[in-house]
Amino acid sequence: MSQSNFFKGFMEDTLEQVMSSYADELHGTAASVVDPETGKHALVFVRRIGKDGWVIHTSGSPAFARALEQRLGLNKGEVHGMNEPANRERLVYLAHASEDKALVKPLAEGLMRRGIKVWYDNWEIGYGDSLRRKMEEGLGDCTHFVVLLTETSIRKPWVNEEIDAGLMSAVEGSAKFIGLRHNLPLSSVSPFFKTRLTPEFQPGEEGLDALSGEIYGVSKKPPLGEKPRYVQSHEPGSTWAASARTVAEYFVRNSAHAQPMDPQASYAEIQQETGLPMPDVRIGVLDLIGAGLLEKQEYFGGEGHIWPKSDMFVTFDADFMDWDPEKDARDLAVHLTNLDTDQADANEVGLALGWKPRRFNTAAAYLVSARVVKPIEYMSGDAYWPCGFMMGDELLRFVRSL
């Protein structure tokens, strides 16, 4: 070993011992500080950056970080919290080789245009500034460490030191590590990078959009849609099967006036509208026919049509519409009683209550089905059904019981 190499090695060992001793001293002082918010000792991490730099992180509160800075004689912001708030301002530390400036400067400018602050050495280091000091500040503050991997940069010792610091920040959870390859095959990078996602960076707006999306955490997944009705769970407390409720909802929502035979549909039309598998459509229809809420007409050579009875809307409007047929029926009964007559015209009553036929007809069907009033039916072409009411003592008894 030559004399120069001997002394170089001796100096490096001595420096290492001095730095290690200094780290122990820093940690010992920091560990004696109590978090003013919890009254407990918080964890403190003193991490080496490069040959003679340090960064301090803590799991304690922001108040603890400020107390550490005061105790250690550091400037505000030099002790970093390990759990940054969700709205932490995004700051990219951009590591690169000086030979790649022509590629890196547009990259830095493009991120800035997209609202992302960038630590770029040409912008941060001025005359008389300490290069290492400035880099340590940038590394300590960054939320994202981005390194441009090129044939030139991967051979630069300085860039490799920055990469080590960036990896340390990623391990501590204070920054996300992003490696971008440019004209560099994956086979040329170190084994470490081969185990991480290192996409090929394409200069230009498309590449910048992809990078900024990654930094902002924009999900690449499509929006999560609603699950199909046929996989929805059973309605708690309901005595109806999920398939019957889905078929009922189809008729309730697609009826113009809540009249019998409004609307009419085939099995195929119900399936297309609801997304139910055909066996569930048929079983749901069967359940509702059995309950007296649907009717079906079979045609020779075809499957026929299915339509609702008035009681379909009485039973299910409260589940799928903006009104409650039971409450509306009580209000309608009181109104009919107050007319003090034995007959009433449905159109006049509906207009007086301010209800459109779709809502009025369900309340009317409720009273008719319960035998509270008798319907007057004739071909009028009017949207209100029934056309009128005959009222007797049944109505009086119903209102008295409210």
Side-chain angles (χ1 to χ4, degrees), residues 91-359:
L91 172 63
V92 168
Y93 183 97
L94 193 50
H96 61 283
S98 58
E99 290 84 349
D100 296 325
K101 291 289 187 187
L103 184 66
V104 173
K105 185 179 179 182
L107 170 58
E109 292 172 340
L111 292 178
M112 292 287 286
R113 287 197 304 272
R114 288 161 174 80
I116 299 170
K117 288 188 176 182
V118 179
W119 192 98
Y120 174 51
D121 55 3
N122 279 22
W123 299 339
E124 304 294 338
I125 302 173
Y127 296 130
D129 287 340
S130 166
L131 175 61
R132 183 174 295 278
R133 176 73 173 180
K134 284 291 186 177
M135 291 178 65
E136 290 170 0
E137 290 176 359
L139 287 165
D141 293 336
C142 74
T143 60
H144 293 76
F145 178 91
V146 177
V147 57
L148 187 64
L149 302 170
T150 65
E151 290 284 359
T152 302
S153 68
I154 61 174
R155 293 180 173 83
K156 293 287 186 176
W158 189 266
V159 174
N160 286 320
E161 285 192 21
E162 290 178 296
I163 290 174
D164 289 342
L167 290 174
M168 185 62 67
S169 297
V171 169
E172 293 173 348
S174 61
K176 183 174 181 178
F177 188 98
I178 300 175
L180 299 176
R181 291 180 296 111
H182 180 66
N183 293 336
L184 183 68
L186 191 59
S187 58
S188 299
V189 300
S190 67
F192 167 79
F193 283 112
K194 291 178 182 178
T195 63
R196 300 180 71 91
L197 184 61
T198 52
E200 178 73 18
F201 174 69
Q202 299 295 335
E205 297 302 306
E206 186 175 346
L208 284 165
D209 286 340
L211 178 57
S212 60
E214 182 70 26
I215 294 170
Y216 277 116
V218 177
S219 174
K220 300 180 179 66
K221 295 180 182 179
L224 184 64
E226 294 184 2
K227 58 185 178 182
R229 291 188 187 131
Y230 60 84
V231 299
Q232 290 182 355
S233 59
H234 174 72
E235 185 76 12
S238 175
T239 59
W240 297 100
S243 59
R245 282 179 56 84
T246 301
V247 172
E249 183 179 0
Y250 165 78
F251 283 101
V252 166
R253 293 193 183 278
N254 286 280
S255 178
H257 299 126
Q259 293 179 344
M261 302 185 72
D262 171 27
Q264 298 184 41
S266 65
Y267 286 113
E269 289 170 335
I270 297 172
Q271 180 191 35
Q272 182 177 2
E273 189 74 16
T274 63
L276 284 170
M278 184 55 75
D280 291 271
V281 172
R282 303 188 74 91
I283 293 172
V285 168
L286 181 64
D287 286 354
L288 295 170
I289 290 175
L293 304 182
L294 285 181
E295 290 185 321
K296 181 178 68 172
Q297 177 66 55
E298 298 283 1
Y299 297 132
F300 179 76
E303 64 175 11
H305 280 81
I306 304 150
W307 59 82
K309 296 182 178 181
S310 296
D311 282 344
M312 168 68 75
F313 310 107
V314 172
T315 304
F316 285 104
D317 265 18
D319 292 329
F320 306 119
M321 304 303 285
D322 295 330
W323 50 80
D324 183 349
E326 183 177 356
K327 180 180 182 302
D328 284 353
R330 293 197 297 266
D331 293 342
L332 174 58
V334 170
H335 182 84
L336 292 175
T337 301
N338 290 336
L339 293 177
D340 195 22
T341 182
D342 58 359
Q343 291 189 21
D345 180 78
N347 187 60
E348 293 178 359
V349 173
L351 292 175
L353 290 171
W355 293 349
K356 293 183 178 180
R358 175 64 183 83
R359 179 178 181 180

